[in-house]
């Protein structure tokens, strides 16, 4: 989060000054969100596993209601062709309900399978997995937000697998999800254009391929050690879209080079490996399932963001965990990290 606060300032200062005459318009709120996130993390780390099981269903209901409200005309806030945010009053920051859906799905699935009453390998257990996952997944796809839908899907699959889900059920489910996602891409012109730009961004360098090309230029300029903090030209010249959010890894690569980018990637690997270790060592079945699901969600989201910036994956609006600008994502992720600490403490 500290790295994120510094890089958000570096990525947004000049664009904020050009737009509002305040170079801290994005970075200062992000620093406040980071402090709030620390508080959320500490509170979550003191919660008992019993409390987590008790709030699983209410949290899931709140997340689904938020996703429904987003889709109601006049309530959801549109940006970049998608309706993903809620603003409860003028002047208040927007809220992204899909962020809450990620831990909500993990906690509810873990509470269903964690007490041993429902066998994840049974047909009934598989149907519960499908029902719990399908509602927020489909609502998120309708926004449309394919990146966040993928994170929710991977988190749910990892949770189901950690609960002992049968590969006999899991493999057909993965196949159906892939087929559905492919069909969604084919019928959605907005997403289809992103796939085409991913395959050959230089075919339309000033249009659909602009994002991908500018990210690659930023990485190339960084070299081994980078051009220095605050010295990046891609974000400063406003060439790099969403520099403080979706493409902040490109800013890291430009200003701190390959070494800095590897440090950030290494921190994610460390965080995920420690989370999986917490899952393996937990004396509670519920805690073990939750820790595995959270670790998978954080790891896949980081992989998806870095994959987009480096050209490995098509462009999707997935923020880099703990680093990208955005209050909703930061608070939810901090809460999730706090849950890992709580599960570790229970052991």
């Amino acid at each position: 989060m500290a790295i994120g606060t510094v890089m958000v300032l570096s990525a947004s200062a000049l664009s904020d000054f050009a737009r509002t005459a305040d170079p801290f318009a994005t970075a200062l709120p992000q620093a406040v969100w980071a402090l709030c996130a620390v508080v959320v993390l500490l509170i979550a780390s003191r919660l008992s596993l019993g409390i987590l099981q008790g709030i699983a269903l209410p949290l899931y209901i709140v997340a689904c209601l938020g996703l429904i409200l987003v889709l109601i005309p006049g309530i959801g806030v549109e940006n970049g062709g998608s309706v993903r945010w809620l603003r409860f009053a003028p002047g208040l920051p927007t809220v992204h309900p899909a962020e809450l859906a990620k831990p909500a799905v993990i906690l509810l699935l873990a509470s269903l399978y964690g007490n041993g009453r429902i066998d994840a390998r049974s047909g009934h257990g598989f149907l519960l997995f499908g029902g719990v996952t399908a509602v927020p997944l489909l609502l998120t796809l309708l926004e449309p937000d394919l990146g966040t839908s993928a994170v929710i899907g991977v988190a749910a699959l990892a949770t189901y697998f950690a609960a002992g889900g049968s590969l006999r059920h899991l493999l057909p489910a993965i196949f159906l999800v892939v087929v559905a996602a492919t069909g969604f891409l084919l019928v959605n012109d907005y997403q289809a254009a992103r796939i085409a730009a991913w395959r050959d961004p230089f075919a339309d360098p000033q249009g659909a391929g602009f994002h991908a090309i500018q990210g690659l230029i930023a990485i190339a300029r960084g070299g081994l050690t980078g051009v220095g903090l605050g010295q990046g030209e891609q974000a400063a010249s406003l060439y790099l879209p969403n520099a403080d959010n979706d493409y902040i890894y490109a800013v890291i690569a430009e200003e701190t080079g390959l070494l800095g980018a590897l440090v950030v990637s290494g921190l994610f690997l460390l965080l995920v490996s420690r989370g999986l270790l917490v899952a393996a060592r937990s004396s509670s079945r519920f805690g073990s399932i939750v820790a595995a699901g959270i670790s998978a969600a954080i790891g896949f989201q980081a992989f998806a963001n870095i994959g987009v910036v480096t050209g490995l994956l098509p462009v999707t609006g997935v923020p880099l965990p703990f680093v990208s600008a955005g209050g909703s994502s930061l608070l939810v992720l901090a809460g999730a990290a706090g849950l890992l600490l709580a599960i570790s403490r229970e052991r």
Side-chain angles (χ1 to χ4, degrees):
M1 287 193 290
I3 292 173
T5 303
V6 172
M7 297 314 303
V8 166
L9 173 61
S10 185
S12 64
L14 285 176
S15 60
D16 282 346
F17 184 76
R19 189 178 70 252
T20 66
D22 179 8
F24 302 102
T26 300
L28 184 58
Q30 184 68 13
V32 174
W33 284 120
L35 292 176
C36 294
V38 173
V39 175
V40 170
L41 186 149
L42 293 174
I43 293 174
S45 70
R46 305 307 300 176
L47 297 178
S48 68
L49 298 187
I51 292 177
L52 295 183
Q53 287 182 290
I55 65 174
L57 182 59
L59 191 68
Y60 179 83
I61 294 173
V62 169
C64 290
L65 288 176
L67 291 172
I68 293 172
L69 287 175
V70 164
L71 299 175
I72 298 176
I75 297 180
V77 178
E78 181 179 354
N79 186 17
S82 297
V83 183
R84 306 178 185 178
W85 298 270
L86 292 173
R87 193 188 302 274
F88 294 103
L92 292 180
T94 55
V95 177
H96 193 190
E99 294 293 341
L100 188 62
K102 300 170 191 175
V105 169
I106 294 170
L107 285 173
L108 184 56
L109 288 174
S111 68
L112 291 173
Y113 301 132
N115 55 19
R117 297 175 187 172
I118 300 176
D119 186 359
R121 294 171 294 180
S122 66
H124 176 56
F126 177 71
L127 289 176
L128 280 175
F129 158 71
V132 169
T133 307
V135 176
L137 194 64
L138 292 175
L139 289 173
T140 308
L141 278 174
L142 290 174
E143 295 180 354
D145 188 350
L146 187 61
T148 303
S149 299
V151 176
I152 293 173
V154 169
L157 286 170
T159 305
Y160 177 70
F161 182 76
S166 170
L167 287 177
R168 179 169 57 91
H169 294 138
L170 197 58
L171 293 178
I174 295 174
F175 175 75
L176 289 175
V177 169
V178 171
V179 171
T182 303
F184 178 78
L185 291 173
L186 292 176
V187 301
N188 191 310
D189 294 338
Y190 174 72
Q191 299 292 348
R194 287 190 166 186
I195 295 294
W198 167 62
R199 294 177 60 188
D200 185 9
F202 295 95
D204 187 11
Q206 297 299 320
F210 188 79
H211 287 64
I213 292 173
Q214 298 306 317
L216 294 176
I217 291 173
I219 295 173
R221 290 194 72 255
L224 181 63
T225 58
V227 298
L229 289 176
Q231 303 300 312
E233 292 185 5
Q234 288 300 101
S237 59
L238 309 184
Y239 282 134
L240 187 63
N242 302 317
D244 59 356
N245 194 278
D246 298 345
Y247 272 80
I248 197 164
Y249 192 76
V251 179
I252 293 172
E254 182 181 9
E255 298 191 354
T256 65
L258 176 64
L259 295 179
L262 289 177
V263 167
V264 173
S265 300
L267 288 173
F268 281 118
L269 287 173
L270 177 62
L271 178 60
V272 171
S273 64
R274 295 296 298 178
L276 293 176
L277 190 61
V278 169
R281 291 179 173 177
S282 176
S283 58
S284 162
R285 176 173 168 80
F286 169 78
S288 180
I289 296 172
V290 171
I294 289 174
S295 301
I298 294 175
F300 179 76
Q301 184 169 330
F303 167 76
N305 178 276
I306 295 172
V308 166
V309 173
T310 56
L312 183 64
L313 299 174
V315 174
T316 57
V318 178
L320 187 61
F322 303 105
V323 179
S324 293
S328 300
S329 175
L330 193 58
L331 292 180
V332 170
L333 286 165
L339 296 186
L340 290 178
L341 290 173
I343 295 167
S344 178
R345 180 174 54 84
E346 287 283 343
R347 183 176 67 89

